Amino acid sequence: AAPRAPKKKPVALYTADDTNKVSAPAGVAVDNFMVLWTNKQLGTQAGSVAGGYSTPPSSDKGAAVRPVSTVTDRAYGVCLARDNAIFTSSEKYVYGVRKTGGVVAMISDTMQKPRGCAWDGEGTVYVADKGSGKIFAFPGSVASMTKQPMVKVAELEDVYGLAVVVSSSWRQLTGTLVAVVISGWFL
């Protein structure tokens, strides 16, 4: 069957016209209340990670946006793990911070070019390292964000974005399935 057109047109929640906290956005993460995104430019000014309400106000949207972290000028991936936001810099670093902001913790400084990340909903965060062609995992649902040992779980050329697909029927047979996007192909 041919794909159907969406019933509703996509809506831009926040744009550079609304706020200076949108600066070449890259990764995005959402919960039932907030939307967080990373900025690939001017992250130390606009926010390496910035966020606003998932239902923005009808006027003065920019007033609802705030930086969550300004630790790096270029950030790529972001994912939520319970109350924490995990995000990647352009080179080497994976960081963690409470999704409402606060002290930023360096989780890893061993990556080459970290990009996407995904939380499995239980306790593990996966990070794609495009530079090494590997996917690493670490415990992400910790009460206090600190440096974590990174465990290699897969090797894939040009790995970039990650998503975790969880199904109760699949879990009985195979556990958690990690879907990986590599250069436009899904595995």
Side-chain angles (χ1 to χ4, degrees), residues 20-26 37-51 66-76 87-90 95 104:
N20 64 358
K21 303 296 184 244
V22 176
S23 181
W37 61 89
T38 57
N39 285 309
K40 292 189 299 184
Q41 293 178 0
L42 305 174
T44 53
Q45 298 166 37
S48 312
V49 179
R66 61 178 171 60
V68 176
S69 167
T70 57
V71 73
T72 184
D73 209 38
R74 298 179 66 165
Y76 281 80
F87 63 100
T88 63
S89 69
S90 62
Y95 295 104
V104 176

Side-chain angles (χ1 to χ4, degrees), residues 42-107:
L42 305 174
T44 53
Q45 298 166 37
S48 312
V49 179
Y53 299 113
S54 56
T55 304
S58 56
S59 64
D60 197 14
K61 290 181 182 182
V65 176
R66 61 178 171 60
V68 176
S69 167
T70 57
V71 73
T72 184
D73 209 38
R74 298 179 66 165
Y76 281 80
V78 61
C79 59
L80 301 177
R82 297 211 197 300
D83 293 329
N84 300 319
I86 312 299
F87 63 100
T88 63
S89 69
S90 62
E91 306 284 334
K92 194 174 174 179
Y93 296 101
V94 176
Y95 295 104
V97 64
R98 302 294 282 183
K99 65 183 178 183
T100 55
V103 177
V104 176
M106 188 265 298
I107 294 171

Side-chain angles (χ1 to χ4, degrees), residues 128-130 133-135 156-162 180-182:
D129 186 358
K130 182 179 181 187
K134 296 175 184 167
I135 298 172
L156 299 161
E157 186 177 338
D158 288 329
V159 64
Y160 200 97
L162 298 176
V180 181
V181 181
I182 307 170

